[in-house]
Amino acid sequence: MQAAFNILLLLPLGVYLRYFLQNKHYWKRALGLGFGLSLFFEITQVTGIYGIYNCPYRIFDVDDLILNSTGALFGFLIAPMILALFPSKKNLLVKRDKIQESQVVRPLAQLLAVFIDFMLVYISWSLTLGLFISNEMVEFIYKTAGFLVVYFIVPLLWDGKTAGTGILRFELTDSEGDVPKWQAMFKRMFALFVPWVLSAFLNILTAIELDMNSEMYVYHVWLTVAVFGFLVIMWMVLVIHAIYIISKKGKRTFYYDYASGITPRKDLD
């Protein structure tokens, strides 16, 4: 009976090694690893757990060493019969890839979600203070606060979802699939905010009226032209970037998600 248990002790190790190594010709490795592990057991016993106890409670048994090693080898040889009851490693990898693919959010859906959130900011202004106030600076402050609420506060309170992502049934997650930390949310919000704030800055510049005889008029014109030129280049780059990401069909991420380490995933709940 003791001999049978010694064989069974490392039999699971042999089965696992066959599954891990995926090659029947590696039986020598299984035998060697089984022998090494059994030798570790015997040395641990004969030394009294390496001196923790004053004397060993068992002797070094060569028979145990042989039987344990044989059990590992036997497990390696009969592994196909046991592993046939479980999904193969290849099938598990295929299933994993399908699950991951099923969670990929198409780039157009991601852009549409950003656009929906963006329009919420603009519509809220038009239906509230925009009805009574036509001041560029007040509008800028209001929409800046709107960006903060829509792209930062809402996803923090709603487990990684904004209004746009909620409508399109996906959520923002970190690399582990968990709700992103506030730092990542803020980076994403800021990355989306920068193109808009630069465009808004141009609107504020053009709204400033200076007399042509003013000493600042020339500087104002040059600054406006410089900002306009920069914005043209920036938006061209962003358009090219968006086209490239869309063409990759979810294999690449938009700059704002890349910068923040956020991954959009379908909401499976």
Side-chain angles (χ1 to χ4, degrees):
M1 183 63 70
Q2 182 180 351
F5 280 118
N6 278 326
I7 291 175
L8 291 174
L9 180 64
L10 293 188
L11 188 143
L13 174 66
V15 175
Y16 173 76
L17 289 173
R18 181 64 175 270
Y19 175 81
F20 180 76
L21 297 174
Q22 294 288 308
N23 194 322
K24 64 181 180 180
H25 300 295
Y26 288 160
W27 63 269
K28 292 181 181 179
R29 297 187 183 184
L31 180 61
L33 288 171
F35 178 83
L37 184 57
S38 180
L39 182 63
F40 169 75
F41 292 158
E42 297 302 320
I43 293 175
T44 301
Q45 291 174 167
V46 78
T47 58
I49 313 183
Y50 306 100
I52 295 178
Y53 292 96
N54 293 329
C55 60
Y57 59 90
R58 288 191 61 185
I59 62 173
F60 188 100
D61 195 329
V62 177
D63 291 341
D64 289 352
L65 192 64
I66 296 172
L67 291 172
N68 292 158
S69 304
T70 302
L73 177 61
F74 185 62
F76 186 87
L77 296 176
I78 68 169
M81 292 185 291
I82 298 175
L83 294 176
L85 303 174
F86 302 94
S88 67
K89 185 177 181 180
K90 182 179 179 180
N91 289 338
L92 289 175
L93 292 175
V94 170
K95 186 175 181 180
R96 182 202 65 182
D97 293 339
K98 287 183 178 179
I99 292 174
Q100 290 180 343
E101 185 177 352
S102 68
Q103 291 182 306
V104 172
V105 181
R106 296 300 179 186
L108 280 175
Q110 297 179 41
L111 279 181
L112 183 57
V114 171
F115 178 74
I116 291 172
D117 294 330
F118 181 77
M119 290 306 299
L120 284 177
V121 177
Y122 268 72
I123 292 172
S124 66
W125 161 259
S126 300
L127 297 180
T128 55
L129 295 182
L131 294 173
F132 313 102
I133 301 174
S134 60
N135 185 285
E136 295 284 345
M137 185 56 66
V138 174
E139 181 179 357
F140 173 78
I141 294 173
Y142 180 95
K143 290 179 178 178
T144 298
F147 259 84
L148 187 67
V149 171
V150 170
Y151 291 108
F152 179 62
I153 295 177
V154 170
L156 278 181
L157 299 178
W158 196 14
D159 296 331
K161 295 180 184 178
T162 66
T165 64
I167 292 172
L168 294 172
R169 300 181 63 82
F170 71 90
E171 57 191 358
L172 307 175
T173 67
D174 60 16
S175 58
E176 302 297 327
D178 299 322
V179 177
K181 295 182 179 179
W182 71 266
Q183 295 93 332
M185 292 291 196
F186 186 83
K187 288 180 182 178
R188 183 177 187 271
M189 184 273 296
F190 186 76
L192 288 166
F193 178 71
V194 168
W196 175 82
V197 75
L198 292 176
S199 300
F201 179 63
L202 178 63
N203 291 334
I204 293 174
L205 277 179
T206 55
I208 298 175
E209 296 182 0
L210 291 177
D211 188 275
M212 294 183 63
N213 297 321
S214 171
E215 295 181 356
M216 300 299 297
Y217 181 77
V218 175
Y219 299 105
H220 177 261
V221 171
W222 279 110
L223 180 60
T224 303
V225 171
V227 172
F228 177 77
F230 175 79
L231 287 176
V232 169
I233 296 173
M234 180 191 72
W235 283 107
M236 286 179 61
V237 171
L238 289 176
V239 169
I240 294 172
H241 168 72
I243 294 173
Y244 173 75
I245 298 300
I246 292 171
S247 68
K248 290 300 179 179
K249 299 180 180 180
K251 296 180 181 179
R252 295 289 187 273
T253 56
F254 288 104
Y255 77 95
Y256 45 84
D257 288 329
Y258 178 81
S260 59
I262 286 177
T263 303
R265 285 190 172 91
K266 288 184 179 178
D267 186 5
L268 302 179
D269 295 336

